[in-house]
Amino acid sequence: MFTPELDKYVECLGPNNQTEPIRLETVQKCVVILQNRCKSMNSVTIKTIRTPMRSVEYLLKTLPHLKVVYLVRDPRGMLSSQARVGMLKWKELEESARKTCNRIETDIDEFRRLYTEYPSRLKRLAYENLCRNPVFVSSKLFLFLSRPFSEVVKYHIKMLTSGPIMKCSYCTKRGDALVNAYKWKLNIKEDRLRLIDKCCSRVYQKLAYKILSIQQLKYVKETWQTNIDLMQI
């Protein structure tokens, strides 16, 4: 993220890469800059979205040095965020909430099963816990991954997760992390809250999220409860 290679990659894409579509051929040419950097490293971090936990067992078996961090979030915040960026239509909320929370529950159960076999290579991380104390939780994450937690890393974490709120759904730096994590509490409507609660209450319980009324949401600071267990970062 903060390497000279990234600057070179952006420069390679051309001066109009933020305002005009980028040709596939250009990306294929420029991405080599990032690939070469990764290949020269002794560790590589990959973020994947909605990877089924059932597929993780094969990866753990075939990649003996692989470690996996399973990131979870309050379904109410997750679905609200998807609606805000156009990935979800409110009229389809009940169906989306049911499918989403069924998938999450399956992943939770699979994660627990895998953890009994790979306790040193699996951890679960609550998004809200990371936002609550980014530096401390990140230090524990780096310890789990056996990576050095330098002052430079600490500086960048502080820079990305603090300061004024920025209105940018896809930016890395968005200001105060905890405020961003719980913005949905101020805007969610009661009928939508009830629909999500109906579909996701079992997930709340398994991941230590509080079941709250619309009135309670307005004055509680957080919905995640500290969940002390060996699986949790």
Side-chain angles (χ1 to χ4, degrees):
M1 184 185 301
F2 298 105
T3 64
E5 286 77 15
L6 184 60
D7 290 336
K8 293 177 183 177
Y9 170 73
V10 173
E11 182 180 345
C12 178
L13 293 178
N16 300 319
N17 67 78
Q18 298 292 325
T19 57
E20 297 180 6
I22 303 172
R23 293 176 60 85
L24 177 61
E25 294 83 356
T26 303
V27 174
Q28 290 173 332
K29 178 189 71 173
C30 298
V31 77
V32 175
I33 298 170
L34 302 179
Q35 289 175 335
N36 290 339
R37 173 69 170 179
C38 285
K39 289 176 181 178
S40 69
M41 296 292 100
N42 56 19
S43 67
V44 177
T45 302
I46 300 173
K47 178 183 178 181
T48 66
I49 306 297
R50 290 183 285 279
T51 300
M53 285 303 302
R54 285 177 178 170
S55 67
V56 171
E57 183 171 19
Y58 173 78
L59 297 174
L60 290 167
K61 287 179 178 179
T62 55
L63 301 170
H65 299 293
L66 176 70
K67 291 188 176 183
V68 176
V69 178
Y70 173 38
L71 180 67
V72 297
R73 185 181 181 184
D74 189 323
R76 294 163 290 195
M78 181 190 307
L79 291 163
S80 296
S81 177
Q82 290 175 1
R84 189 180 70 252
V85 299
M87 294 174 59
L88 163 68
K89 296 178 181 178
W90 283 121
K91 63 181 181 180
E92 301 169 354
L93 175 61
E94 185 170 5
E95 180 183 0
S96 295
R98 184 179 295 109
K99 287 181 178 179
T100 296
C101 283
N102 284 345
R103 173 178 53 78
I104 293 173
E105 192 168 11
T106 298
D107 283 343
I108 293 169
D109 294 341
E110 184 67 13
F111 179 88
R112 287 176 172 170
R113 184 187 70 80
L114 289 174
Y115 187 83
T116 61
E117 189 172 352
Y118 303 98
S120 64
R121 297 172 61 193
L122 287 170
K123 284 292 183 183
R124 189 173 66 220
L125 171 62
Y127 170 70
E128 292 80 4
N129 192 31
L130 177 62
C131 293
R132 172 194 289 169
N133 197 334
V135 173
F136 175 70
V137 175
S138 294
S139 69
K140 292 175 65 179
L141 180 59
F142 272 62
L143 181 63
F144 166 65
L145 298 173
S146 302
R147 307 309 305 161
F149 191 67
S150 67
E151 289 299 317
V152 173
V153 171
K154 186 185 299 185
Y155 165 78
H156 282 299
I157 291 172
K158 287 182 179 179
M159 181 187 69
L160 292 173
T161 58
S162 60
I165 298 299
M166 301 179 67
K167 294 183 179 181
C168 178
S169 298
Y170 296 102
C171 294
T172 305
K173 179 175 174 57
R174 297 173 56 203
D176 189 306
L178 194 60
V179 172
N180 275 310
Y182 286 113
K183 274 194 301 188
W184 64 269
K185 292 198 305 97
L186 303 176
N187 304 315
I188 194 166
K189 295 182 178 179
E190 186 170 10
D191 59 333
R192 294 169 180 172
L193 177 65
R194 287 177 177 173
L195 275 179
I196 299 173
D197 287 348
K198 183 176 75 170
C199 299
C200 300
S201 58
R202 291 197 308 270
V203 170
Y204 299 167
Q205 294 170 356
K206 291 185 176 185
L207 294 179
Y209 290 106
K210 302 173 187 175
I211 299 176
L212 300 164
S213 68
I214 194 73
Q215 292 78 20
Q216 290 172 318
L217 276 179
K218 302 306 178 185
Y219 66 79
V220 297
K221 185 177 180 181
E222 301 178 45
T223 63
W224 187 76
Q225 308 170 81
T226 302
N227 186 16
I228 306 299
D229 64 48
L230 295 176
M231 296 185 294
Q232 182 72 47
I233 288 180

